[in-house]
Amino acid sequence: MLSPKIIALEEGWNNEIKAKAIDVLEDMLNTGLDKNKPRLFDPKEYVQTYTTCYNMCTQRSPYNWSEQLYQRHGETICDYLSKTVLPALKQKSGNALLTELTVRWSNHKIMNKWMRLFFMYLDRYYVKHHSLPTLDVAGLKHFKTLVYNEVKKDVVNAMIALIDAERDQALIDRALVKNTVELLEAMGMGSLDAYVTDFEDQLLASTKEYYARKSQEWVESDDAPAYLAKAEVALEAEAARVAHYLNGASEPKLLRVCEHEILELRETVLLEKEGSGCRALLANDRKADLARMYRLFGRVPNTPTHGLPPMAALVRAHIEQMGNDIIDRREARLSEGAKDSNQDPAFVKELLALHDKYLAVVSEQFGGNALFQKALKEAFVEFANRDVGKHTNAELMSSFCDRILKSGGEKLGDEDVEAFLEKTVQLFSYLTDKDLFAEIYRNQLAKRLLNQRSASDDAERLMIGKLKLRCGSQFTGKMEGMLNDLAIGHDHQADFESYVKADSSRSTGKLDFSVQVLTTGYWPTFASIDAHLPPEIVQCTKVFKDYYDEKNSKRRVTWMWSLGNASVKAFFGKKAYDLQVATLQAIVLLTFNPVDGASQTLTYAQVAERVNLPDEHLKRVLHSLACGKYKVLAKTPMSSRVALTDSFAVNTKFSCPMRKIRVPMASLDESHNPKRVEEDRTVAIEAAVVRIMKARKALSHQSLLAEVLSQLAFFRPNPKVIKRRIEALIDREYLERDPEVANAYRYLA
Amino acid sequence: STPSPSQALLALPKPVSRQRPSQQAAMAPKKRKSAAKTKTATKKKAASPKQPKKAASPKKKKGGALDFDVYADADEGVVTFEGLAQLADDLGIDPSSDTKLLAMCWRLGAEKPGCLSKEEWARFAENRHLPTYGKAQTVSVLKAGWNSLDPNFLDNSEFKPFFRFCFEFNREGTKRFLERDTALALLPLCVEDRSRHTQLFLEFLGTKPEDFKLNRDQWCSFLDFSLAVGEAPEFSGWDAEESSWPILLDEFVEFCQAKLKES
């Protein structure tokens, strides 16, 4: 029986392991690997070596050669590296060095692999028992110490040279770099330390220097858009570079360096470049260039001087300039003699167009970025509140809407109407005195509604809806109330008519009488006129009053004779006409009915006495009847103005081919009452102060001011105005000055 | 025109007959040097014009009892300015310039302007700040300790409520303000040397129209302002932007600054 033979160390090593495995291996590596041979050692050969090692490691002591084998494993590798590999590398430089290194590294991996396989048994027990590095790791470490550390400086320089060359548009062997990168990664032994410290840091430094130089060239030779185009190309190239042959972790750092040099440090110069900077691009509608500028500077972190904020500031300045130009042009027109009326549709349209344009720019070129939206808004707030001439921009905007919503105003299709209204509401949102706009709009709406000049109820509601969306229902309450009054007017009228029919004592005589009830508070205040009415009308009012009192016991009705229409049947000779007139006109006409068969001539004073109208109304009425297109009254003397000394009579010679005639009358210019706005503001400020103090109990002066300003949505009062209101409230003992804290107030319950 | 009761404490030349219902009675102040400065030897002047008093009031002697009924107006049931003037006369002081009289009313806790009720009058015995506390309720006792009422003894925090009282007590009835001229006379009297702004402020008030009204907030704030803000023209402690002082005081500062610019 054969007992296993003890293998002596040298014998086993030299005869078996070295000769049959290591030498073979080294030889194969030195002469170049045969590509046709997939495995360097076939299984039989391998097993033999493995077994030898195994045996040598499992022999009983003192023949257990684990320690020695482990040592010799290391020594073999070190030997090979220092005697063969390193000298070969040292001979080369530049790309040749890289190429050689690639080969040598590849070889080492193979060597390491096989050495591990041969001595694998050591890994199982010996290594673990003695807490030593595994064979694989040990081999790697040897490579790092003996080869890598010696050549890394030259290697990295060569790599960077290649990269720089590629930046300058040369074609390089990317695989070469990639392989070297892979080596660097491996040298980290689980971390990227080697890659970062030995290569990446230097790469970043050289990149920085490269682009510092390049960007300087570009800045000197190119205008801003051209520079940015080059910059964009460079950044994309760098990103691609990382993807192709660098470690992914380098990408953010590399790009940051590039962005810093190319964009961040040059930003101010580029933005402000004469003729091609941000404002020039805006002025010339260079959309693509603007978009690129936005994209690129968006990559730079935002600070007040870098990134997007300075660009937004320039955008704001530009829009402000454009807006102020529009206002300046209006101012010039006015000073050159243009009529300073409450309408300037061309001006409003210009503002709307400006807004449209830059809304699009912000959304398309600047990706809807919040900074730019803010810039647009702030710019508009700056000039939209710049009023020139007698009429505020608020009024001009309101009149613009009036034109659109009025029948006989601007002729527009439904979509256009909505578009204009929507845009006007957007523009409106920049006004500080929104309450002024509301007051004016309300007055104009009332006029439209009462004179039946509103083109479309739907359009009115649409506009009010938009205002409501933006400002809340409190803002539009009165406007909606007005529309509702009219909407339910029809039902009320039907109700009234059935009331009249129900009882013969309730008669409106020969008159077709209809009443529109207006809720006070929603409508502007109209002058109440105590006219002397013809008995027929008086009768009707009595009947209606009875009807209304029955329905609503707690309400009081006041008749507004300055509003309302009448249809008067007039006989001139044989011809009969239907005169469509205002109620006041009707009253005056009826006083000219013949008395006892005789026609009357009345002086102004007599007319005034009979109808009891104030001069401002009476003059208008008589003018419309005697001096207008349809002279139903004859005035003595004939002239175009009504004087207090004139006399009037029915114009017997009156004739007209039409039967139904509308006799218009100049309406009193009932423009909005600025006092009303002031009063409302006083109330609003005081209410806000009390509300805030009630909630907070004690507050400093500055804080109270700030709170009040933030609560007032529709106008922006001067701090002094607020202070005045605070004093008034102190006087009325709603609050007191805090006796213990200076500059503070306390709520008095 | 009927002078206001506030003017009763100030120098007014003509005596006016009492009217009812009113607190409008004004006394002709006797010509005396101010009590703060001298102790006048009071001699009863038999011929001195006295206000017609209500009938059946016991004749009071100087040094006599501090009796409510002696000084009160029988119809109104309160001591009015008339009674106070009489008391002043008995004390030998000038009611138009002696703020200790005001201090006395303050200590008595007078609630309504220009008069003292019976309950308030009774506090001569109860309030330890009054010289009559714990002593005989007589005019001579009051007079002996009169100087203790001097507002100059009060420190600033005690002075504030007194200063406010000066405003409240000199109003007309339920009105919540002082007329311009009343304020012009009353303010320097009351504030004395606690303010370095008085002269300029009076000049400033003088530029206001005659119907200008000074309200309580402005009056009290003048004192706070005087204590907190430095002298013209620097006005250190006053900040144009952050000032929560009444607008009147802001205007005052601007007035002074403009004035000093001109000179």
Side-chain angles (χ1 to χ4, degrees):
Chain A
M1 196 174 73
L2 289 165
S3 56
K5 191 181 159 209
I6 300 284
I7 309 174
L9 176 58
E10 297 304 332
E11 198 194 317
W13 177 260
N14 287 323
N15 297 349
E16 291 295 324
I17 295 174
K18 190 162 190 306
K20 294 184 184 167
I22 291 174
D23 286 346
V24 173
L25 176 61
E26 287 182 2
D27 205 46
M28 278 194 273
L29 294 175
N30 288 338
T31 53
L33 297 170
D34 186 351
K35 290 198 173 46
N36 293 327
K37 209 172 170 196
R39 285 178 72 86
L40 269 56
F41 294 89
D42 63 50
K44 239 175 99 180
E45 292 166 314
Y46 166 68
V47 162
Q48 201 183 1
T49 313
Y50 174 81
T51 313
T52 310
C53 176
Y54 174 85
N55 288 336
M56 289 173 80
C57 291
T58 50
Q59 286 168 173
R60 289 212 119 115
S61 151
Y63 302 112
N64 186 309
W65 307 123
S66 300
E67 186 184 339
Q68 287 80 351
L69 285 184
Y70 184 84
Q71 255 180 313
R72 291 185 186 200
H73 164 273
E75 284 162 5
T76 307
I77 292 178
C78 290
D79 220 44
Y80 183 72
L81 290 177
S82 33
K83 292 200 180 119
T84 312
V85 174
L86 186 58
L89 288 171
K90 284 282 190 194
Q91 282 171 8
K92 308 265 170 61
S93 65
N95 289 3
L97 170 62
L98 293 179
T99 313
E100 184 67 30
L101 181 61
T102 308
V103 171
R104 294 292 173 183
W105 167 243
S106 171
N107 283 358
H108 177 75
K109 282 191 279 189
I110 293 167
M111 180 179 200
N112 214 24
K113 169 185 160 186
W114 283 104
M115 291 295 278
R116 174 176 64 79
L117 286 173
F118 294 150
F119 293 92
M120 197 193 285
Y121 190 74
L122 287 171
D123 262 347
R124 290 232 170 93
Y125 293 103
Y126 179 75
V127 161
K128 286 195 180 138
H129 277 153
H130 292 81
S131 301
L132 291 164
T134 63
L135 298 172
D136 204 51
V137 168
L140 206 57
K141 272 191 181 166
H142 292 310
F143 184 88
K144 184 170 182 183
T145 322
L146 295 172
V147 175
Y148 172 75
N149 283 347
E150 296 298 315
V151 297
K152 66 185 179 188
K153 194 148 173 276
D154 293 331
V155 163
V156 165
N157 286 339
M159 287 168 81
I160 287 178
L162 277 178
I163 290 174
D164 275 349
E166 193 181 49
R167 286 178 175 148
D168 285 332
Q169 312 306 322
L171 281 175
I172 62 165
D173 184 353
R174 288 175 162 179
L176 198 53
V177 186
K178 191 170 170 131
N179 289 334
T180 319
V181 165
E182 196 229 304
L183 163 62
L184 289 165
E185 287 166 350
M187 289 293 97
M189 307 226 211
S191 81
L192 276 180
D193 285 348
Y195 174 82
V196 170
T197 321
D198 298 329
F199 169 67
E200 195 188 61
D201 286 349
Q202 205 174 325
L203 171 67
L204 293 176
S206 86
T207 305
K208 186 176 158 80
E209 191 258 333
Y210 178 83
Y211 280 113
R213 202 170 16 96
K214 268 294 171 185
S215 64
Q216 182 64 34
E217 276 173 37
W218 295 343
V219 153
E220 283 162 9
S221 63
D222 296 322
D223 64 11
Y227 179 105
L228 290 172
K230 287 187 183 169
E232 196 165 42
V233 165
L235 288 169
E236 277 164 13
E238 293 299 326
R241 180 161 301 116
V242 173
H244 279 129
Y245 52 77
L246 298 177
N247 183 293
S250 294
E251 183 172 337
K253 300 181 215 175
L254 189 65
L255 287 178
R256 190 74 269 282
V257 166
C258 296
E259 285 160 4
H260 180 73
E261 290 301 318
I262 301 173
L263 298 172
E264 199 166 354
L265 293 179
R266 307 284 175 188
E267 180 166 1
T268 316
V269 170
L270 288 169
L271 284 180
E272 294 174 6
K273 219 165 210 245
E274 190 78 32
S276 69
C278 182
R279 289 190 70 164
L281 295 180
L282 285 165
N284 295 317
D285 298 323
R286 299 278 289 273
K287 292 191 180 170
D289 292 329
L290 282 169
R292 178 176 304 113
M293 190 179 253
Y294 169 75
R295 272 203 303 281
L296 290 178
F297 287 123
R299 300 169 73 142
V300 172
N302 285 344
T303 71
T305 47
H306 288 94
L308 292 175
M311 196 175 160
L314 286 171
V315 170
R316 181 191 152 155
H318 173 79
I319 299 177
E320 228 177 282
Q321 173 81 54
M322 306 290 305
N324 275 316
D325 284 349
I326 296 177
I327 313 269
D328 288 340
R329 283 199 291 275
R330 175 174 145 83
E331 193 170 31
R333 280 199 302 275
L334 289 177
S335 66
E336 279 160 23
K339 190 168 167 221
D340 195 356
S341 84
N342 71 343
Q343 304 219 32
D344 196 346
F347 168 72
V348 176
K349 280 185 185 172
E350 268 191 284
L351 288 176
L352 293 179
L354 184 72
H355 189 252
D356 260 357
K357 176 173 177 183
Y358 286 101
L359 204 59
V361 168
V362 167
S363 131
E364 289 161 16
Q365 274 72 55
F366 302 141
N369 182 295
L371 281 172
F372 292 89
Q373 286 185 1
K374 189 163 166 239
L376 177 69
K377 177 176 165 188
E378 287 175 357
F380 265 84
V381 167
E382 268 312 302
F383 60 78
N385 293 295
R386 215 186 115 201
D387 299 324
V388 299
K390 279 190 293 188
H391 299 274
T392 60
N393 291 346
E395 187 164 2
L396 296 176
M397 282 186 222
S398 183
S399 302
F400 183 75
C401 297
D402 187 53
R403 248 175 121 237
I404 294 173
L405 292 164
K406 208 154 58 168
S407 54
E410 203 156 324
K411 286 240 178 294
L412 295 166
D414 281 346
E415 277 166 21
D416 289 337
V417 166
E418 157 130 47
F420 267 124
L421 293 178
E422 173 64 38
K423 289 175 203 198
T424 309
V425 171
Q426 286 173 0
L427 196 62
F428 151 85
S429 71
Y430 301 122
L431 292 175
T432 35
D433 290 345
K434 293 189 174 67
D435 57 347
L436 187 63
F437 177 92
E439 185 64 16
I440 296 171
Y441 187 85
R442 192 169 71 99
N443 271 273
Q444 290 177 333
L445 173 64
K447 246 185 168 174
R448 285 197 295 278
L449 295 176
L450 294 174
N451 296 330
Q452 285 149 342
R453 304 275 269 141
S454 168
S456 146
D457 194 58
D458 284 340
E460 299 286 358
R461 286 192 189 273
L462 184 72
M463 178 62 179
I464 292 173
K466 289 183 194 293
L467 289 172
K468 188 163 155 181
L469 201 62
R470 207 164 271 272
C471 298
S473 57
Q474 198 197 7
F475 192 76
T476 51
K478 291 180 186 169
M479 300 173 201
E480 289 186 313
M482 288 197 273
L483 284 176
N484 283 337
D485 274 352
L486 294 187
I488 57 179
H490 293 298
D491 294 339
H492 280 176
Q493 185 57 29
D495 204 37
F496 174 60
E497 279 166 16
S498 55
Y499 168 88
V500 165
K501 286 203 185 84
D503 189 335
S504 60
S505 69
R506 311 164 181 167
S507 167
T508 57
K510 288 182 281 184
L511 293 182
D512 199 354
F513 188 69
S514 68
V515 179
Q516 171 65 50
V517 181
L518 307 177
T519 312
T520 325
Y522 291 156
W523 298 82
T525 37
F526 303 106
S528 171
I529 304 173
D530 191 17
H532 288 164
L533 303 164
E536 302 93 327
I537 299 182
V538 174
Q539 166 66 16
C540 295
T541 62
K542 280 214 181 86
V543 174
F544 186 83
K545 188 166 186 312
D546 291 338
Y547 157 75
Y548 199 78
D549 283 345
E550 219 181 80
K551 293 264 160 182
N552 309 280
S553 54
K554 295 201 182 108
R555 295 188 190 173
R556 195 169 52 115
V557 169
T558 314
W559 296 94
M560 294 289 162
W561 301 115
S562 56
L563 308 171
N565 310 300
S567 181
V568 175
K569 199 146 187 187
F571 294 93
F572 291 87
K574 292 247 170 64
K575 255 195 120 175
Y577 297 91
D578 274 327
L579 303 176
Q580 310 294 315
V581 291
T583 307
L584 291 182
Q585 288 170 306
I587 294 171
V588 169
L589 282 174
L590 287 174
T591 59
F592 283 93
N593 270 338
V595 170
D596 300 327
S599 60
Q600 309 185 73
T601 305
L602 301 169
T603 63
Y604 180 94
Q606 285 172 315
V607 179
E609 203 200 313
R610 286 192 196 192
V611 299
N612 197 37
L613 289 180
D615 282 341
E616 59 181 357
H617 292 280
L618 185 55
K619 274 195 177 173
R620 270 192 308 139
V621 169
L622 287 172
H623 187 278
S624 67
L625 298 173
C627 311
K629 187 171 174 197
Y630 303 107
K631 298 180 174 54
V632 292
L633 291 181
K635 186 166 84 77
T636 326
M638 275 280 283
S639 65
S640 59
R641 296 190 106 106
V642 171
L644 301 179
T645 48
D646 292 343
S647 333
F648 300 86
V650 172
N651 181 7
T652 47
K653 295 204 200 80
F654 177 78
S655 95
C656 178
M658 295 178 292
R659 194 196 146 84
K660 199 168 177 181
I661 308 171
R662 198 173 154 262
V663 185
M665 178 172 74
S667 59
L668 262 185
D669 185 27
E670 297 207 39
S671 50
H672 72 283
N673 188 355
K675 274 217 175 73
R676 178 70 183 265
V677 175
E678 279 306 310
E679 285 163 12
D680 288 347
R681 286 182 177 182
T682 301
V683 170
I685 296 173
E686 290 194 356
V689 171
V690 172
R691 209 167 38 236
I692 293 164
M693 290 306 297
K694 189 168 175 181
R696 307 283 285 269
K697 304 292 180 219
L699 206 55
S700 77
H701 176 75
Q702 288 301 317
S703 302
L704 180 58
L705 282 186
E707 283 277 346
V708 169
L709 285 171
S710 76
Q711 280 204 14
L712 295 174
F714 304 135
F715 63 102
R716 197 167 176 81
N718 201 302
K720 198 168 178 184
V721 170
I722 302 178
K723 199 155 104 149
R724 204 172 281 282
R725 290 294 107 220
I726 294 174
E727 281 185 51
L729 289 171
I730 290 176
D731 201 47
R732 277 148 52 201
E733 300 190 16
Y734 280 89
L735 36 140
E736 61 173 3
R737 293 184 189 275
D738 194 325
E740 279 144 44
V741 184
N743 292 328
Y745 306 100
R746 284 213 297 222
Y747 181 67
L748 290 172
Chain B
S1 59
T2 52
S4 65
S6 55
Q7 288 168 324
L9 264 196
L10 310 168
L12 258 198
K14 47 190 191 335
V16 175
S17 62
R18 193 185 56 187
Q19 296 153 351
R20 55 171 101 162
S22 74
Q23 298 172 352
Q24 300 277 330
M27 269 288 281
K30 308 284 199 289
K31 286 185 178 53
R32 306 242 176 221
K33 303 193 199 74
S34 78
K37 302 207 176 87
T38 60
K39 246 189 160 60
T40 51
T42 54
K43 227 172 21 174
K44 215 153 186 332
K45 288 191 185 146
S48 59
K50 282 237 174 38
Q51 280 304 303
K53 289 189 295 301
K54 51 194 178 339
S57 74
K59 200 129 175 78
K60 14 141 226 5
K61 296 188 190 72
K62 292 196 177 43
L66 260 184
D67 218 359
F68 177 74
D69 299 315
V70 167
Y71 292 98
D73 178 322
D75 301 311
E76 308 202 20
V78 290
V79 175
T80 63
F81 266 103
E82 225 195 71
L84 284 174
Q86 183 59 55
L87 178 63
D89 188 39
D90 294 344
L91 288 168
I93 56 147
D94 176 9
S96 65
S97 61
D98 190 345
T99 52
K100 297 195 262 302
L101 189 62
L102 273 174
M104 180 198 91
C105 296
W106 173 50
R107 293 298 188 192
L108 292 174
E111 288 215 4
K112 293 221 179 108
C115 66
L116 291 165
S117 70
K118 190 159 186 177
E119 289 80 17
E120 290 160 359
W121 190 269
R123 294 181 194 144
F124 270 118
E126 294 159 24
N127 189 318
R128 60 183 177 81
H129 290 107
L130 290 162
T132 44
Y133 177 69
K135 299 217 180 92
Q137 303 291 291
T138 63
V139 173
S140 46
V141 167
L142 184 58
K143 184 168 163 169
W146 189 242
N147 285 340
S148 70
L149 288 171
D150 195 332
N152 280 315
F153 293 136
L154 300 170
D155 71 29
N156 281 335
S157 63
E158 295 169 310
F159 183 77
K160 265 194 198 185
F162 168 65
F163 188 71
R164 180 177 159 143
F165 175 81
C166 293
F167 176 91
E168 302 280 18
F169 197 67
N170 282 289
R171 295 173 297 138
E172 268 180 57
T174 53
K175 298 205 179 142
R176 304 215 305 255
F177 53 83
L178 294 179
E179 302 280 349
R180 183 196 74 164
D181 292 337
T182 311
L184 278 173
L186 193 63
L187 185 78
L189 202 66
C190 297
V191 86
E192 286 193 279
D193 56 6
R194 291 191 200 241
S195 172
R196 54 213 126 173
H197 302 294
T198 311
Q199 190 180 343
L200 280 169
F201 190 69
L202 293 177
E203 202 181 314
F204 166 68
L205 274 189
T207 66
K208 292 284 179 190
E210 213 180 309
D211 59 2
F212 173 81
K213 297 167 176 33
L214 192 79
N215 67 31
R216 193 212 306 138
D217 184 39
Q218 290 161 331
W219 173 271
C220 293
S221 292
F222 177 75
L223 178 66
D224 293 334
F225 182 88
S226 300
L227 297 174
V229 173
E231 228 172 290
E234 297 84 31
F235 288 108
S236 67
W238 177 84
D239 184 327
E241 296 290 311
E242 309 212 337
S243 153
S244 69
W245 298 109
I247 290 179
L248 185 73
L249 291 174
D250 292 335
E251 286 174 5
F252 166 61
V253 172
E254 282 155 21
F255 168 83
C256 294
Q257 288 172 337
K259 189 169 153 7
L260 287 149
K261 242 193 208 160
E262 279 171 34
S263 59

